[in-house]
């Protein structure tokens, strides 16, 4: 049985827009630890499922897909944004 995690895309820190932040992503977890290539020192993985990311419009759609295909999925809750309220005058303290 394969395992996966379902999470909501976070807002990109380098952009001001919120494109694709309402999507839910199902991402497979790797089955084994990534081996190190002795020649190059790079990490490699023969399991191509770790590269697959599926996007869904709602959390329920992602859960339904996982249940239909026998995927043991867990939901990672989206972090709550922390607002830092600051007045313009605080720049001159």
């Amino acid at each position: 049985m394969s395992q996966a995690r379902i999470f909501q895309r976070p807002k990109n820190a380098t952009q001001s827009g919120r494109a694709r932040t309402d999507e839910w992503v199902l991402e497979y977890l790797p089955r084994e630890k990534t081996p190190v290539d002795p020649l190059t020192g790079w990490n490699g993985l023969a399991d191509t499922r770790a590269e697959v990311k599926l996007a869904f419009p709602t959390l329920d759609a992602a859960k339904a897909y996982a249940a239909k295909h026998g995927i043991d999925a867990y939901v990672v809750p989206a972090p709550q944004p922390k607002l830092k309220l600051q007045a313009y005058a605080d720049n001159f303290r």
Side-chain angles (χ1 to χ4, degrees):
M1 182 178 229
S2 54
Q3 295 181 335
R5 69 182 183 126
I6 299 172
F7 63 96
Q8 194 170 18
R9 289 185 193 268
K11 181 184 170 301
N12 191 344
T14 61
Q15 301 288 326
S16 61
R18 296 191 173 272
R20 299 175 65 182
T21 57
D22 56 343
E23 289 181 340
W24 289 86
V25 178
L26 184 137
E27 180 179 61
Y28 288 98
L29 300 177
R31 292 181 185 173
E32 69 239 8
K33 188 177 176 184
T34 57
V36 177
D37 187 318
L39 181 62
T40 61
W42 295 351
N43 291 345
L45 192 61
D47 184 20
T48 57
R49 237 196 285 194
E51 300 174 12
V52 175
K53 292 183 181 179
L54 302 172
F56 296 93
T58 63
L59 175 61
D60 293 331
K63 285 182 179 178
Y65 178 86
K68 180 180 178 183
H69 293 281
I71 301 168
D72 183 26
Y74 66 93
V75 178
V76 177
Q80 296 297 322
K82 297 177 183 175
L83 297 176
K84 182 179 177 184
L85 300 177
Q86 183 177 359
Y88 180 71
D90 293 341
N91 293 332
F92 304 103
R93 284 187 182 188

